[in-house]
Amino acid sequence: MNEDKEMMAEEEGEEREKEDEGGEERERAEKKERGVGGERGVGARAGTEKTVLLPSETYFLNGVHIGTQQKTGDMKRFIYQTRPDGLYLLDVEKIDARLLIAARFLANYEPSSVLVVSAREYGHHPVSRFAEATGAASIVERFIPGTLTNPGSEYFREPAILVVTDPMTDAQALLEGVSTGIPILALCDTNNSTTNVDFVIPTNNHGRKALATVYWLLAREVLRERHRREGEEEEFVFGYSVEDFEAEIYE
C-alpha cells in the first residue's frame, strides 16, 4: 500500500514540476494574446488548448473548467483566470492530462478494490455509472462512519484505493482513507484543500454536466487502459455516452 502511495506521490510531483515550469511562460503568452484584463474562456482561445481525451470546447461547454468564487493556495496552480463575475477558471490542459494519469493508475487495481464515493447529490448518478461500467465499488449519499475503519460494522469495506468527488463533502471518507493508509484520488475544485489527497484531479466538482463528463471520461480511459494492457486496444468500444452519466436536474 505504501508503494502505491509513493508511486502516486511521484506522479503528483512530476505533474507539479511540469505545471510550475510551464506556468509562467504560458501566462505571459496568454496575457499578450488576450490583452490585459481580457477574458479567456469559450471565446478568445477556445479550441487552442492541447487536450488529448476530449476537444477543449467540450470541456468548456460542459463547464468542467468553471470553478467557484473562492480559491485555495493548493489549487492556485490549476487556475488560469478569474472571470468578471469572480469565478475562477481551471486550466483544461491540466484537467485533461491528470484525468489520463488517474485512469492509468486506477487500471492497476482489481476493479472491485476501487471505491468511489460522493455525498454530493449531482455526483450520485455519475459515481454509480462509473462503478457499473468499471466494476468498482461505490458509496453515494451518506458515508457511514466506520465504513473503512470498523471491522465490526455491517457496512465495513476494505478497498485498495479511494476516489472522492469532493474533499469537503466527502470529508468522512477522506479521513478514514487517510487512517487506513490507502491511496486517495480526489476531484478538487478551486475552493478545495488538497491536504491528505495523493493525486488531484482539478475540476468543477459541483456541476451536473461537469461531473458527468469527468466520470464518463475516467471510466472510458480506465477501461481503455485495461484493454491496452491486454493487447486489445483496437477492439475497445465504450458503450456509454456522457448523457448516460448525467444526473437528473433536481429542484
Side-chain angles (χ1 to χ4, degrees), residues 176-221:
E176 295 192 19
V178 171
S179 176
T180 58
I182 59 176
I184 300 170
L185 283 79
L187 276 57
C188 296
D189 212 324
T190 60
N191 62 333
N192 283 129
S193 165
T194 64
T195 302
N196 295 323
V197 173
D198 294 301
F199 191 79
V200 174
I201 301 172
T203 183
N204 173 352
N205 62 13
H206 298 71
R208 184 176 68 91
K209 286 184 176 291
L211 285 169
T213 302
V214 167
Y215 273 114
W216 175 79
L217 266 180
L218 201 55
R220 188 189 74 181
E221 294 309 310

Side-chain angles (χ1 to χ4, degrees), residues 73 143 170 191:
F143 186 92
D170 299 319
N191 62 333

